[in-house]
Amino acid sequence: MAKHAFTVLTSFILFLCLPLAVFAKNIYVTSDDNLQASLDLADDGDVVVIAAGEYIGNFTVDHSITVTGEMDSVTGEAGAVINANGEGHAIELRNSNITIQNLTIINWGRDLTEQNSGIYTDKKSTNITIQENNLSGDGFGIWIQRSQDVVVKNNTIKGNATLRASDRGNGIQLSMVQKALVVGNTVSETRDGLYVISSQDNELRNNTLHDLRFGVHYMYSHNNKVLNNFSYNNRVGYALMSSRQLVVSGNRSLNTENYGFLLNFITFSEISNNHIKDVWTKPENKVLGRDGKGLFIYNSGYNTIKYNTVDTAEIGIHLTAGSEHSKVYGNNFINNPVQVKYVSNKRQEWSVDGVGNYWSNYLGWDLDGDGKGDTAFEPNDGIDKMVWQYPEAKVLLDSPAVLLLRWVQNQFPILKPGGVKDSYPLMTPSRIVTTPDSESMTANNHILINNALTKNSEATDSL
């Protein structure tokens, strides 16, 4: 009897230890069914399969389930359409261990104060996965707050281009989120593409971001990685603010108007192997002092800026407001009318261990053949600083008096003010090395990049 009781007790304990997946069931929902009722009746671990069709309303997911749309057999795209009818959140998540995938989500609300979103969660949760969805609407695309262990993967998010940028929501917003992977998403025509605030230990990788205000926007977020993303046709490619210990590597910025990369109060971070091309203010927006800047570094120090390329920006790199104590080497500054704007008399050496930067306007020689110029490169002099302080003086730049002043400065270096000096300028451009993750970019992202580069090249050729 005791042996039988022990066997029963052991079997009961093993039963309790079985994972929920063993008891999970599939719940098939059609457009004739009540979707919300099906979501409410699901048990933790269940899979709710939504058939192709339109489902109108605002839906909540209260259980730890997977919600997946049935794929259209003809187009291969998500055939299940969630239409929020212009109000509120399309789908709100209220638990942990939830997956939302293969859905088309449209027409949610535009009230930004209420944070109207296509997919929304502000509950403290873990293990949230949002993948392979297609979202189009006015407010925020995906809003995740107070969560950890999050995956946002291979979603396409499009905003409403008829609204002012400030009236649109962000594509993907992470607020107070930890250990999130945001990978392979395409975001366009929202306010900012990826907005990250007060979130730590996250990774943004292989995302494509275009026709936005800011491609990537960081605020008060530390120990994050920004890897191999592609930003084009935005006002700012990457806006990194009030954060530390970031790794920003392998990213591309093409055809921006204000800044390729903006660093505002960024410390103890590595900015490396990024490619910035074509940063130019549009003629209709041109005013005195508004120039396109490849790298704009404001009040940021103790960083490493290495092996980046800045190609065809009105100003290659602009440092101001105490941006010092950083290592700057191995970078390529190509075809920028103003290579460096450094408004300070404090001396900065831009080389490390005999490795400087490549400057397309360096006129020195390499007589010993070591690949480095025999004379230092100093991009700015006292005349430049005078023009920055008094822009009206530009009309005098080609005058004999100014040419004489420049000659005197070169002959008597003691008269030259402090500033940036590269003691080992490179004679050929550095090779930009992408991080290993770049090999895993989706074929769709490769096509988008190639199309954008072709389109930009055609536009340049037509000028």
Side-chain angles (χ1 to χ4, degrees):
M1 183 70 180
K3 182 177 180 181
H4 175 71
F6 176 78
T7 302
V8 171
L9 179 61
T10 302
S11 300
F12 180 70
I13 293 173
L14 290 173
F15 174 83
L16 293 177
C17 293
L18 287 173
L20 289 174
V22 173
F23 307 102
K25 60 184 180 296
N26 287 354
I27 300 174
Y28 191 79
V29 181
T30 71
S31 55
D32 295 328
D33 300 323
N34 186 320
L35 175 56
Q36 186 60 63
S38 298
L39 294 172
D40 292 340
L41 290 173
D43 296 317
D44 288 349
D46 286 351
V47 178
V48 176
V49 182
I50 305 177
E54 186 175 50
Y55 301 80
I56 298 176
N58 308 101
F59 302 96
T60 59
V61 179
D62 295 301
H63 302 285
S64 300
I65 61 175
T66 293
V67 180
T68 183
E70 190 176 58
M71 304 302 289
D72 189 294
S73 59
V74 177
T75 65
E77 299 178 351
V81 179
I82 306 296
N83 184 345
N85 210 23
E87 296 182 358
H89 311 306
I91 301 176
E92 182 175 356
L93 313 182
R94 298 177 176 174
N95 210 324
S96 297
N97 305 306
I98 294 175
T99 295
I100 305 293
Q101 63 187 19
N102 299 332
L103 297 175
T104 294
I105 302 171
I106 63 172
N107 197 26
W108 57 88
R110 63 166 62 181
D111 190 331
L112 303 185
T113 303
E114 294 297 321
Q115 303 167 359
N116 289 169
S117 306
I119 300 175
Y120 180 85
T121 178
D122 67 346
K123 304 298 182 184
K124 189 174 182 180
S125 59
T126 59
N127 297 319
I128 300 295
T129 298
I130 300 171
Q131 60 186 7
E132 307 288 350
N133 300 288
N134 192 328
L135 299 94
S136 178
D138 296 348
F140 298 90
I142 298 172
W143 178 297
I144 300 177
Q145 185 165 299
R146 298 198 299 159
S147 299
Q148 66 177 19
D149 298 314
V150 172
V151 175
V152 181
K153 181 179 180 182
N154 294 345
N155 302 282
T156 299
I157 303 169
K158 186 175 182 180
N160 184 350
T162 65
L163 298 175
R164 296 184 310 165
S166 57
D167 292 333
R168 311 173 205 167
N170 299 316
I172 298 172
Q173 176 144 339
L174 306 181
S175 175
M176 294 181 285
V177 171
Q178 290 183 307
K179 299 179 181 178
L181 174 63
V182 180
V183 58
N185 302 282
T186 298
V187 185
S188 64
E189 297 180 352
T190 62
R191 183 201 300 166
D192 298 340
L194 311 180
Y195 182 86
V196 182
I197 183 168
S198 301
S199 298
Q200 327 305 331
D201 302 309
N202 304 298
E203 183 173 323
L204 313 182
R205 173 161 47 89
N206 290 351
N207 300 286
T208 300
L209 315 158
H210 64 95
D211 297 289
L212 307 158
R213 184 184 69 162
F214 300 163
V216 173
H217 191 177
Y218 260 91
M219 295 288 294
Y220 313 110
S221 299
H222 316 308
N223 300 298
N224 288 281
K225 295 180 179 180
V226 184
L227 306 174
N228 306 320
N229 301 284
F230 181 49
S231 167
Y232 67 93
N233 295 349
N234 301 318
R235 283 164 55 187
V236 177
Y238 302 81
L240 313 175
M241 304 183 185
S242 302
S243 303
R244 63 178 180 270
Q245 293 179 308
L246 303 179
V247 175
V248 183
S249 183
N251 303 283
R252 304 190 70 177
S253 173
L254 173 65
N255 193 29
T256 55
E257 184 171 0
N258 296 339
Y259 312 106
F261 280 69
L262 163 64
L263 278 61
N264 182 356
F265 197 26
I266 297 297
T267 55
F268 303 106
S269 297
E270 180 179 298
I271 315 298
S272 67
N273 292 295
N274 302 289
H275 193 112
I276 303 166
K277 182 172 175 57
D278 295 334
V279 188
W280 217 270
T281 304
K282 296 177 181 177
E284 61 268 26
N285 297 329
K286 195 71 174 175
V287 295
L288 187 64
R290 182 176 180 180
D291 302 299
K293 301 172 177 67
L295 282 163
F296 181 59
I297 303 176
Y298 183 93
N299 191 29
S300 299
Y302 302 97
N303 299 304
T304 298
I305 302 171
K306 63 179 183 179
Y307 297 104
N308 303 283
T309 292
V310 182
D311 183 349
T312 316
E314 290 181 88
I315 298 175
I317 180 170
H318 182 180
L319 299 93
T320 188
S323 297
E324 299 163 353
H325 306 292
S326 290
K327 297 178 180 178
V328 182
Y329 65 97
N331 302 286
N332 303 316
F333 296 97
I334 301 170
N335 196 31
N336 307 303
V338 176
Q339 297 278 40
V340 178
K341 184 175 181 179
Y342 175 54
V343 188
S344 172
N345 287 326
K346 187 170 183 178
R347 300 185 183 278
Q348 288 205 48
E349 173 59 45
W350 280 11
S351 65
V352 174
D353 297 331
V355 178
N357 304 273
Y358 174 77
W359 310 90
S360 61
N361 60 331
Y362 176 65
L363 300 178
W365 300 91
D366 177 22
L367 297 179
D368 57 4
D370 64 353
K372 303 166 188 175
D374 296 330
T375 57
F377 180 73
E378 297 178 78
N380 306 135
D381 59 17
I383 303 301
D384 294 325
K385 297 177 185 296
M386 178 188 70
V387 170
W388 296 336
Q389 189 171 0
Y390 305 103
E392 298 83 358
K394 282 185 177 180
V395 298
L396 302 174
L397 285 179
D398 293 327
S399 68
V402 169
L403 295 175
L404 177 61
L405 285 174
R406 288 193 191 275
W407 181 83
V408 169
Q409 283 184 129
N410 289 329
Q411 299 304 311
F412 302 95
I414 194 172
L415 299 177
K416 184 178 292 187
V420 170
K421 179 181 180 180
D422 182 350
S423 297
Y424 302 94
L426 304 176
M427 298 303 294
T428 57
S430 300
R431 187 169 69 93
I432 304 302
V433 180
T434 56
T435 54
D437 302 86
S438 63
E439 298 302 322
S440 65
M441 293 181 69
T442 63
N444 183 50
N445 280 357
H446 275 305
I447 293 170
L448 285 169
I449 290 172
N450 291 334
N451 288 346
L453 290 171
T454 302
K455 182 178 179 181
N456 186 71
S457 177
E458 291 172 350
T460 302
D461 292 342
S462 67
L463 294 177

PDB file of all heavy atoms in Angstrom, residues 174 224 240 278 297 321 351 379 414 442:
ATOM      1  N   LEU A 174      11.461  51.700 -26.933  1.00  0.00           N
ATOM      2  CA  LEU A 174      11.811  50.931 -25.744  1.00  0.00           C
ATOM      3  C   LEU A 174      11.989  51.895 -24.584  1.00  0.00           C
ATOM      4  O   LEU A 174      12.806  52.817 -24.664  1.00  0.00           O
ATOM      5  CB  LEU A 174      13.109  50.141 -25.953  1.00  0.00           C
ATOM      6  CG  LEU A 174      13.198  49.208 -27.166  1.00  0.00           C
ATOM      7  CD1 LEU A 174      14.549  48.498 -27.168  1.00  0.00           C
ATOM      8  CD2 LEU A 174      12.064  48.204 -27.180  1.00  0.00           C
ATOM      9  N   ASN A 224      24.677  49.683 -24.168  1.00  0.00           N
ATOM     10  CA  ASN A 224      23.915  49.201 -25.315  1.00  0.00           C
ATOM     11  C   ASN A 224      24.819  49.052 -26.531  1.00  0.00           C
ATOM     12  O   ASN A 224      25.883  49.676 -26.614  1.00  0.00           O
ATOM     13  CB  ASN A 224      22.781  50.175 -25.644  1.00  0.00           C
ATOM     14  CG  ASN A 224      21.673  50.120 -24.613  1.00  0.00           C
ATOM     15  OD1 ASN A 224      20.842  49.226 -24.614  1.00  0.00           O
ATOM     16  ND2 ASN A 224      21.654  51.093 -23.711  1.00  0.00           N
ATOM     17  N   LEU A 240      22.597  60.161 -30.504  1.00  0.00           N
ATOM     18  CA  LEU A 240      22.961  59.468 -29.268  1.00  0.00           C
ATOM     19  C   LEU A 240      23.145  60.515 -28.185  1.00  0.00           C
ATOM     20  O   LEU A 240      24.030  61.366 -28.289  1.00  0.00           O
ATOM     21  CB  LEU A 240      24.236  58.660 -29.474  1.00  0.00           C
ATOM     22  CG  LEU A 240      24.268  57.800 -30.750  1.00  0.00           C
ATOM     23  CD1 LEU A 240      25.625  57.142 -30.928  1.00  0.00           C
ATOM     24  CD2 LEU A 240      23.163  56.740 -30.722  1.00  0.00           C
ATOM     25  N   ASP A 278      27.263  61.821 -47.537  1.00  0.00           N
ATOM     26  CA  ASP A 278      26.288  62.799 -48.037  1.00  0.00           C
ATOM     27  C   ASP A 278      25.446  63.384 -46.896  1.00  0.00           C
ATOM     28  O   ASP A 278      24.304  62.960 -46.651  1.00  0.00           O
ATOM     29  CB  ASP A 278      25.376  62.183 -49.100  1.00  0.00           C
ATOM     30  CG  ASP A 278      26.127  61.774 -50.357  1.00  0.00           C
ATOM     31  OD1 ASP A 278      27.178  62.382 -50.621  1.00  0.00           O
ATOM     32  OD2 ASP A 278      25.680  60.854 -51.050  1.00  0.00           O
ATOM     33  N   ILE A 297      29.870  66.418 -32.318  1.00  0.00           N
ATOM     34  CA  ILE A 297      30.182  65.921 -30.976  1.00  0.00           C
ATOM     35  C   ILE A 297      30.080  67.084 -30.004  1.00  0.00           C
ATOM     36  O   ILE A 297      30.867  68.033 -30.052  1.00  0.00           O
ATOM     37  CB  ILE A 297      31.578  65.278 -30.948  1.00  0.00           C
ATOM     38  CG1 ILE A 297      31.633  64.156 -31.993  1.00  0.00           C
ATOM     39  CG2 ILE A 297      31.895  64.741 -29.567  1.00  0.00           C
ATOM     40  CD1 ILE A 297      32.980  63.503 -32.131  1.00  0.00           C
ATOM     41  N   ALA A 321      31.761  72.543 -27.005  1.00  0.00           N
ATOM     42  CA  ALA A 321      31.271  72.416 -25.621  1.00  0.00           C
ATOM     43  C   ALA A 321      32.072  71.399 -24.813  1.00  0.00           C
ATOM     44  O   ALA A 321      31.519  70.525 -24.146  1.00  0.00           O
ATOM     45  CB  ALA A 321      29.786  72.064 -25.609  1.00  0.00           C
ATOM     46  N   SER A 351      45.959  61.099 -33.022  1.00  0.00           N
ATOM     47  CA  SER A 351      46.638  59.879 -33.465  1.00  0.00           C
ATOM     48  C   SER A 351      46.916  59.061 -32.217  1.00  0.00           C
ATOM     49  O   SER A 351      47.003  59.595 -31.105  1.00  0.00           O
ATOM     50  CB  SER A 351      47.940  60.191 -34.207  1.00  0.00           C
ATOM     51  OG  SER A 351      48.882  60.793 -33.336  1.00  0.00           O
ATOM     52  N   PRO A 379      44.174  70.791 -39.402  1.00  0.00           N
ATOM     53  CA  PRO A 379      43.091  71.190 -40.303  1.00  0.00           C
ATOM     54  C   PRO A 379      42.624  72.624 -40.147  1.00  0.00           C
ATOM     55  O   PRO A 379      42.038  73.174 -41.080  1.00  0.00           O
ATOM     56  CB  PRO A 379      41.969  70.208 -39.947  1.00  0.00           C
ATOM     57  CG  PRO A 379      42.274  69.760 -38.555  1.00  0.00           C
ATOM     58  CD  PRO A 379      43.758  69.759 -38.441  1.00  0.00           C
ATOM     59  N   ILE A 414      54.533  79.502 -33.581  1.00  0.00           N
ATOM     60  CA  ILE A 414      54.189  80.017 -32.257  1.00  0.00           C
ATOM     61  C   ILE A 414      52.975  80.934 -32.324  1.00  0.00           C
ATOM     62  O   ILE A 414      52.272  81.143 -31.332  1.00  0.00           O
ATOM     63  CB  ILE A 414      55.401  80.764 -31.646  1.00  0.00           C
ATOM     64  CG1 ILE A 414      55.160  80.994 -30.160  1.00  0.00           C
ATOM     65  CG2 ILE A 414      55.663  82.076 -32.378  1.00  0.00           C
ATOM     66  CD1 ILE A 414      56.372  81.536 -29.438  1.00  0.00           C
ATOM     67  N   THR A 442      19.421  40.445 -43.583  1.00  0.00           N
ATOM     68  CA  THR A 442      18.443  39.779 -44.433  1.00  0.00           C
ATOM     69  C   THR A 442      18.603  40.211 -45.874  1.00  0.00           C
ATOM     70  O   THR A 442      19.080  41.292 -46.179  1.00  0.00           O
ATOM     71  CB  THR A 442      17.023  40.132 -43.974  1.00  0.00           C
ATOM     72  OG1 THR A 442      16.826  41.542 -44.141  1.00  0.00           O
ATOM     73  CG2 THR A 442      16.800  39.766 -42.526  1.00  0.00           C
TER      74      THR A 442
END
